[in-house]
Amino acid sequence: MAAAQDADVVCIQETKAQEEQLADPVFRPNGYHCYYFDAAKKGYSGVAIYSREKPQDVVTGFGSREFDAEGRYIEAKFKA
């Protein structure tokens, strides 16, 4: 996945999985920090970020209960 591309950051949408379903090492590649934001409903939406550098902060959701339950927003903040 990300390692084959030699990418510094990989963003994925529509993971359609809960984080506990992503325990297999293929979903946690060596050399990457992994962050997930799941939808409340199993098998629905979800987003992920893989980054070589550890972010200063990771933000999940918009701050809206209505939309955050859908697991559609994740943001990694890095040093400038």
Side-chain angles (χ1 to χ4, degrees), residues 7-45:
D8 292 326
V9 177
V10 176
C11 301
I12 300 174
Q13 64 182 28
E14 300 299 330
T15 61
K16 297 188 183 279
Q18 303 300 113
E19 188 169 358
E20 66 267 10
Q21 295 174 299
L22 304 172
D24 189 293
V26 73
F27 298 112
R28 301 187 183 276
N30 288 332
Y32 285 88
H33 300 275
C34 308
Y35 304 92
Y36 302 97
F37 185 48
D38 309 336
K41 180 179 174 182
K42 287 189 175 190
Y44 184 76
S45 61

Side-chain angles (χ1 to χ4, degrees), residues 8-9 33 35 51-58 75-80:
D8 292 326
V9 177
H33 300 275
Y35 304 92
S51 64
R52 287 191 187 275
E53 180 181 334
K54 185 174 181 172
Q56 287 182 314
D57 191 22
V58 175
E75 172 185 348
K77 296 182 179 186
F78 298 92
K79 290 184 238 176

